Each structure stands twice: as structure tokens, then as C-alpha cells.
């Protein structure tokens, strides 16, 4: 149970920071930020492994990897989200 809470906290931080960096039309708020952040942590961890980086276990290392992954996820969401045409 502690791990779930830890990943929710990391997810919220990563999602909020990625939203500040990318901006755009994607959904904002606690739940969307947590979802983007947790997906970002997964994507960031995978990318780090593919690039040969060792995965850190400190709070800062995990947060940095999650934020980078969340930025990637948010950029992809921005690219595929419909634009407002009016």
C-alpha cells in the first residue's frame, strides 16, 4: 500500500510539472495530472532502461525520470488531441 501512495505522489508531481512545461489543451486537475504522471513514470523508466541509464531509487531520481516521461506523454496527448475550430 505504501508503494501505491508513493507512486500517486510522484505521479501528481510529475503530471503537474509536465503541464507547466508543455502547457496546451490537455486536461488539467488532480486526477488527469496523476494519470499523466504515473504513465510518465512508466514511459520514463522504460526510456531510461532503453538508453542504458541505471534506474535510481532516490526520490529525486525517480521524480526526474517520471517528469521526463510525463512530458513525453503530454506532448503525445497534445499531438493527438483535437483542436478547437470555430
Amino acid at each position: 500500500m505504501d508503494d501505491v501512495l508513493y507512486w500517486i505522489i510522484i505521479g501528481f508531481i510529475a503530471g503537474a510539472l509536465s503541464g507547466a512545461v508543455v502547457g496546451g489543451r490537455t486536461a488539467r486537475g488532480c486526477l488527469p495530472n496523476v494519470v499523466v504522471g504515473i504513465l510518465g513514470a512508466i514511459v520514463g523508466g522504460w526510456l531510461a532502461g532503453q538508453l542504458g541509464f541505471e534506474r535510481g531509487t532516490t526520490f529525486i531520481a525517480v521524480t526526474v525520470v517520471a517528469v521526463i516521461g510525463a512530458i513525453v506523454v503530454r506532448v503525445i496527448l497534445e499531438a493527438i488531441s483535437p483542436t478547437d475550430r470555430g
Side-chain angles (χ1 to χ4, degrees), residues 8-80:
I8 290 172
I9 292 169
I10 296 290
F12 179 74
I13 293 168
L17 289 175
S18 71
V21 170
V22 176
R25 302 174 303 271
T26 56
R28 303 262 190 260
C30 278
L31 187 58
N33 280 342
V34 169
V35 171
V36 167
I38 291 172
L39 287 174
I42 293 167
V43 169
W46 180 81
L47 284 174
Q50 294 301 310
L51 295 173
F53 292 106
E54 290 192 30
R55 295 182 189 143
T57 57
T58 65
F59 180 79
I60 292 173
V62 171
T63 304
V64 167
V65 168
V67 169
I68 291 169
I71 289 171
V72 170
V73 168
R74 201 172 289 269
V75 165
I76 292 169
L77 288 174
E78 282 293 317
I80 64 174

